[in-house]
Structures are given as structure tokens and as C-alpha cells.
Amino acid sequence: MAEKVATLHLPGQEPIELPIMSGTAGNDVIDVRQLGSKGYFTFDPGFLATASCESQITYIDGEKGILLHRGYPIEQLAENSEYLEVCYLLLFGQRPTEKQYEQFKQTVTRHTMVHEQLIHFFQGFRRDSHPMAIMVAVVGALSAFYHDSLDVTNERHREIAAYRLLSKMPTLAAMSYKYSIGQPFVYPRNDLSYAGNFLNMMFSVPTEEYIVNPVVEKAMDRIFMLHADHEQNASTSTVRLAGSSASNPFACIAAGIACLWGPAHGGANEACLAMLEEIGSVERIPEFIERAKDKDDPFRLMGFGHRVYKSYDPRAKVMQQTCHDVLDELKIDDPLLDIAMELEKIALTDEYFIEKKLYPNVDFYSGIVMRAIGIPTSMFTVIFALARTVGWIAHWIEMLQTPGQRIGRPRQLYTGEAKRDFPTTPRKKG
């Protein structure tokens, strides 16, 4: 018996006692699973008040602006860790020892190459294909090349698939970019870091040496880290739902990429950059602020506010400093940063933004950083998918390890036609 219960009174029925479950942190959850046997479902479009699973991976307190991975605040991880260490943390639950971490990095590094036949797979796409379209197809196709580890009930198979996805995603992402601009694919290098290797595969060419800038490398690593996981968002929930049917891991991650492609999800930083370009100059900001406040005007300020965070996005604080570091290092005088800084200043002082809790989020800065590095906007969501893969894998594994896990089957409130008879008379001619 739960220590706390909620009593539900339904017409013509005995009261139903629903257990109230408490987690380590966050809101209590009412267990409504028994309602189905009583002839009732709950109605919650968009899952605004529904916990779809139990998880130990990531916790967000949107009111206080807190993001924890396995209990560690994202600010501390960004300051004292690196992306692959966070990957280990998400996958295995604990910070690795020095020996464990070196072994983990070595394993990831030595599996970054992809099957050579995948090169021919890319050639089936038009050159102007969106990189996300390529990623959805190519990641899903990995199951045709690595079908020796597709038994999702086998713990060793799950581990192998996890390493393969984490290792090969930067390679596939860089290949999708190189293909779109007509340049030859660049093979991964084992002497570079995870972020440095990605940058080299993105920007090096056979005709000259490419030296990875350590400031840019750190910024790229931080972008990966800040997007590694974000609890039960749309794409993560998609991966879990796909995985609940025992689909192979590559298909599940491809489903997550497809969901992430949506502009309301993974395309937010691209939309933010487009908004800054539309504003054009600091002098025009007041005009656009007034338009944003006008309910009848279709213009919206992108990069402000968040579905979860009702205060300052903790990732945005980290990304803001990273943004300055990159621009200072590369000596880039980007007018978009001036616009972004002025918008941020207004958002933190204007009563309209404060009342509606529209604080800058991580997308507000990440788009500017990637633009400065030289990454085209079409690749923004691809990098998001690359970074988020480890979170998807961690949730996929956790779901499969949950006792009594069943295939996802949401219910509905049916409002269509009631039962009716189909006419037995033939249709009239003409």
C-alpha cells in the first residue's frame, strides 16, 4: 500500500483509491493504471500532466531552472567534465574512474568508422537533400549493416549497439554535410577527441592540413554536452515508444531523429538565428518587441521561454559564456550577437517578459556559436541529434530493463460518428 492515496469519486461507483507515488525530487504522481479496468481513461493531450515512465537518468525543475544528470547539476558538469564523461554517466549511472573512462574513450574512438558500403548508400540521395533527411535514412539503415547485435533482450547486444551509435553518429553527421556540399568524405582519426574528430571530419579537405582550434573544440564539446539529454521530451518519448515494441536500436534512434527534425523541437536554434537575421539591427529591436507583444501579429521571438523552464534555462548561462569565448577567439564581429545581447537585456528587465517568464533558452546562443564556427543552419538539428543520441540510448536501455515493461498504447477520447449501418442499396449513377 502507498503511504498516500487520492480518492476518486465516480458516479454510481464505489470510491477508488489511487496510490500517490513520490520520487526523489519533483511532483508527486497519481498512479491511475487501475482506471482502465474501471472503464475510465485519463485525458491529457500533449502529456502536460502525465508521467509516462519512471526514470533515474535526468531531472528538470523548470520553476527553479535546475537540470540534473544522474544528480549532477549541468553547470558543474559543463565546468568540470567533458561530453564523453557525461555519456558514461548517463549510460552507466555513475561517474567513471580514471581507468573506466580511458577504456570507454578508447572503445568509442576505435569504432568511429562506418561500413564502407554506406558510402554507396549516400549516393542515392540528391545533393540538395536536407542533412536530416539523410540522417533518418542512414541511421535506420545501420541495422542492415550491423545485424549481429539486434537482440534487444540481450544485455551484451544492447551495449554493443550503444557503443556503435555513440561512435558512428559524428561520422555519419559529417558525411551528410560533406555529401551536401560535394566534398569527399573525411575518415575519422583516432588521435583526436570526440569533438575534435567531428570538426576535422566536417571542415578538413585532402588538399591542406586542418588544425583543430582548442577553443572551438571546447565549444563543440560543450554544445554536445548541453544537448546530451533533456528528460522526457518529444524525441526521447518517441524513442521509448518505438523501443517498447522491441524494435531494433537503430530504428528507435532513427525515429527519435525524425521527431527531432520538427521545428518545434530540434529546429529551435535554427529558427532563432533566422529571427535575429530578420530583425537585422539593434535599432529595429523595439519594433519587433512590440510586434511580439501583439497577439494579432504572427511574429514570435524565438529562443525565449521553454515548455519546461519557467526561469532562466541553466544551459543558456553556460552557452552564453561559450558564445563570447568563441567570438573573441575567432575575432568575429557578428552583429547578430549585438542583437542577441540587447534582446537578452530587454527580456530580463521588461515586465512583459518577466510576467510571462520568457527567459532566454539554450537555443538563443547555440545557433550563434555554430554560425561562428562555420556550421550551416541546415546542420544545426543534425548536431542536436548527434549530441542527443546518448540520451536516447540511455532511456532506451532503461526502458528495456524496467520490469513488466509493455508496449506503449495511448488511449483516446473518441468523438467521431457513433455506430451506424452501411447502406445496402447501390449508389445512384451520375
Side-chain angles (χ1 to χ4, degrees), residues 196-252:
N197 185 43
F198 174 69
L199 290 168
N200 182 70
M201 290 189 291
M202 280 281 293
F203 298 119
S204 66
V205 291
T207 51
E208 58 187 59
E209 182 182 9
Y210 175 79
I211 299 175
V212 179
N213 185 308
V215 175
V216 174
E217 181 180 11
K218 182 178 180 179
M220 198 75 255
D221 188 84
R222 195 162 275 181
I223 287 174
F224 290 160
M225 184 189 300
L226 295 179
H227 292 87
D229 189 51
H230 211 238
E231 210 200 69
Q232 306 305 321
N233 52 73
S235 57
T236 301
S237 298
T238 298
V239 171
R240 278 183 172 263
L241 188 59
S244 73
S245 70
S247 292
N248 74 73
F250 304 108
C252 294

Side-chain angles (χ1 to χ4, degrees), residues 366-393:
S366 62
I368 299 173
V369 174
M370 287 191 283
R371 171 189 170 99
I373 292 174
I375 297 170
T377 55
S378 62
M379 282 293 295
F380 285 5
T381 316
V382 173
I383 290 175
F384 195 165
L386 188 172
R388 183 57 55 84
T389 294
V390 68
W392 290 335
I393 296 169

Side-chain angles (χ1 to χ4, degrees), residues 87-103:
C87 288
Y88 187 100
L89 180 68
L90 292 172
L91 290 172
F92 300 107
Q94 298 294 335
R95 183 187 180 190
T97 64
E98 186 174 338
K99 182 178 179 180
Q100 288 172 330
Y101 188 41
E102 288 305 313
Q103 180 62 48

Side-chain angles (χ1 to χ4, degrees), residues 42-62:
T42 58
F43 184 65
D44 185 22
F47 304 106
L48 297 176
T50 298
S52 62
C53 65
E54 179 181 334
S55 182
Q56 300 178 1
I57 299 172
T58 296
Y59 171 69
I60 298 172
D61 186 328

Side-chain angles (χ1 to χ4, degrees), residues 43-287:
F43 184 65
D44 185 22
F47 304 106
L48 297 176
T50 298
S52 62
C53 65
E54 179 181 334
S55 182
Q56 300 178 1
I57 299 172
T58 296
Y59 171 69
I60 298 172
D61 186 328
E63 294 294 333
K64 297 179 181 178
I66 293 173
L67 170 61
L68 307 178
H69 290 323
R70 301 290 189 179
Y72 296 108
I74 188 62
E75 301 93 329
Q76 294 181 18
L77 292 173
E79 182 67 27
N80 304 307
S81 184
E82 54 190 14
Y83 176 68
L84 281 184
E85 187 172 14
V86 172
C87 288
Y88 187 100
L89 180 68
L90 292 172
L91 290 172
F92 300 107
Q94 298 294 335
R95 183 187 180 190
T97 64
E98 186 174 338
K99 182 178 179 180
Q100 288 172 330
Y101 188 41
E102 288 305 313
Q103 180 62 48
F104 180 75
K105 287 194 294 184
Q106 184 180 53
T107 303
V108 171
T109 299
R110 293 190 176 278
H111 289 84
T112 50
M113 290 183 66
V114 297
H115 197 290
E116 192 71 9
Q117 197 171 341
L118 270 173
I119 294 176
H120 303 296
F121 195 90
F122 275 83
Q123 293 169 357
F125 296 99
R126 288 169 51 117
R127 285 287 179 181
D128 59 355
S129 298
H130 194 289
M132 281 295 278
I134 297 175
M135 291 296 290
V136 170
V138 174
V139 172
L142 288 177
S143 58
F145 292 87
Y146 304 103
H147 45 70
D148 59 337
S149 58
L150 299 183
D151 181 1
V152 299
T153 65
N154 186 307
E155 183 179 357
R156 179 56 180 161
H157 281 205
R158 295 196 297 265
E159 182 181 5
I160 292 172
Y163 274 111
R164 280 176 170 163
L165 281 161
L166 182 59
S167 301
K168 299 178 191 307
M169 282 295 285
T171 308
L172 295 175
M175 289 172 74
S176 70
Y177 170 65
K178 287 295 193 181
Y179 184 79
S180 70
I181 61 175
Q183 288 187 3
F185 296 143
V186 176
Y187 286 91
R189 282 172 46 184
N190 291 352
D191 62 319
L192 297 175
S193 70
Y194 193 85
N197 185 43
F198 174 69
L199 290 168
N200 182 70
M201 290 189 291
M202 280 281 293
F203 298 119
S204 66
V205 291
T207 51
E208 58 187 59
E209 182 182 9
Y210 175 79
I211 299 175
V212 179
N213 185 308
V215 175
V216 174
E217 181 180 11
K218 182 178 180 179
M220 198 75 255
D221 188 84
R222 195 162 275 181
I223 287 174
F224 290 160
M225 184 189 300
L226 295 179
H227 292 87
D229 189 51
H230 211 238
E231 210 200 69
Q232 306 305 321
N233 52 73
S235 57
T236 301
S237 298
T238 298
V239 171
R240 278 183 172 263
L241 188 59
S244 73
S245 70
S247 292
N248 74 73
F250 304 108
C252 294
I253 300 306
I257 294 172
C259 180
L260 188 69
W261 195 356
H265 191 4
N269 49 16
E270 186 175 345
C272 181
L273 197 62
M275 175 205 68
L276 295 175
E277 290 175 338
E278 181 181 359
I279 293 174
S281 66
V282 172
E283 290 73 26
R284 297 188 66 195
I285 289 179
E287 170 195 342

